[in-house]
Amino acid sequence: MKPSQRKIKLLVVHGPNLQLLGRREVSVYGKSTLKDINTDLVREAAALNVEVDFFQSNHEGELVDKIGTAADAYAGILINPAAYTHTSIAIRDALLGCGLPAVEVHLSNIYQREEFRHKSLTAPACRAQIAGFGRDSYRLGLTGLARIVRQPASPVRKKRRKI
Ligand code: DQA
């Protein structure tokens, strides 16, 4: 079986307050719910021939625990750390420590928003970041993650600098 045909399992991690999507700051995040986003991802995963599991938590430690054990079952992580993006060294360290490739996604373009959102502590622990496509950021991120996982020796990885 070619590596590109192998069924891979990816973990989707949703950070704090994302369970409120659909009714939370609709002008920023849109009307889609987390369930809508997960449904998109299940559909996209089928098209990519990968499997996805979902985890949402409002608690930093739970997110750290989940990321810390992810390598036992998954080949990569798609994560929206939400507000912890801007504050959590613990989640950054967990992403680095788990050894899995991760892609960070945001619904909004965090660089167009308040200054405190311009800095992501977690993005340097990820292979790529996608922000500003609304609900589609997740689908695009999953496509990119599947590609990274299937091509571990890609030039992007070789060029990666130490952080
Ligand atoms: C967010 C952006 C974060 O700044 C914010 O705290 C969120 C959502 C996004 O998806 O656009 O909760 O991660």
Side-chain angles (χ1 to χ4, degrees):
M1 194 185 271
K2 287 183 192 163
S4 59
Q5 293 168 330
R6 217 175 283 147
K7 194 85 166 183
I8 48 188
K9 268 183 98 168
L10 303 175
L11 175 65
V12 180
V13 177
H14 301 293
N17 299 309
L18 295 176
Q19 84 284 4
L20 298 175
L21 286 176
R23 55 204 162 93
R24 169 195 181 205
E25 297 181 86
V26 170
S27 62
V28 178
Y29 299 119
K31 288 185 185 162
S32 302
T33 63
L34 198 59
K35 201 173 164 202
D36 295 332
I37 288 168
N38 288 348
T39 301
D40 284 352
L41 288 174
V42 168
R43 199 174 300 133
E44 192 67 21
L48 293 164
N49 195 27
V50 299
E51 283 174 24
V52 277
D53 283 341
F54 302 99
F55 182 77
Q56 191 277 328
S57 177
N58 295 325
H59 303 279
E60 188 176 19
E62 285 184 4
L63 294 162
V64 168
D65 284 347
K66 188 68 184 180
I67 294 164
T69 57
D72 297 341
Y74 302 99
I77 299 177
L78 184 73
I79 182 165
N80 183 348
Y84 288 136
T85 303
H86 319 294
T87 63
S88 180
I89 297 170
I91 292 177
R92 175 190 174 122
D93 286 350
L95 288 166
L96 287 171
C98 77
L100 294 175
V103 171
E104 176 170 311
V105 296
H106 298 283
L107 294 139
S108 62
N109 181 347
I110 54 175
Y111 304 100
Q112 277 183 341
R113 300 183 61 196
E114 304 95 322
E115 209 171 327
F116 66 85
R117 295 185 204 274
H118 295 183
K119 178 134 183 94
S120 170
L121 294 186
T122 45
C126 296
R127 294 281 299 277
Q129 186 198 56
I130 293 179
F133 289 96
R135 169 179 179 169
D136 284 340
S137 290
Y138 286 86
R139 223 171 28 78
L140 295 167
L142 189 72
T143 303
L145 180 61
R147 188 177 292 191
I148 288 168
V149 167
R150 287 206 167 102
Q151 300 175 352
S154 74
V156 175
R157 183 167 184 152
K158 277 188 212 146
K159 276 187 200 154
R160 190 181 178 202
R161 291 209 198 108
K162 260 194 162 171
I163 54 170

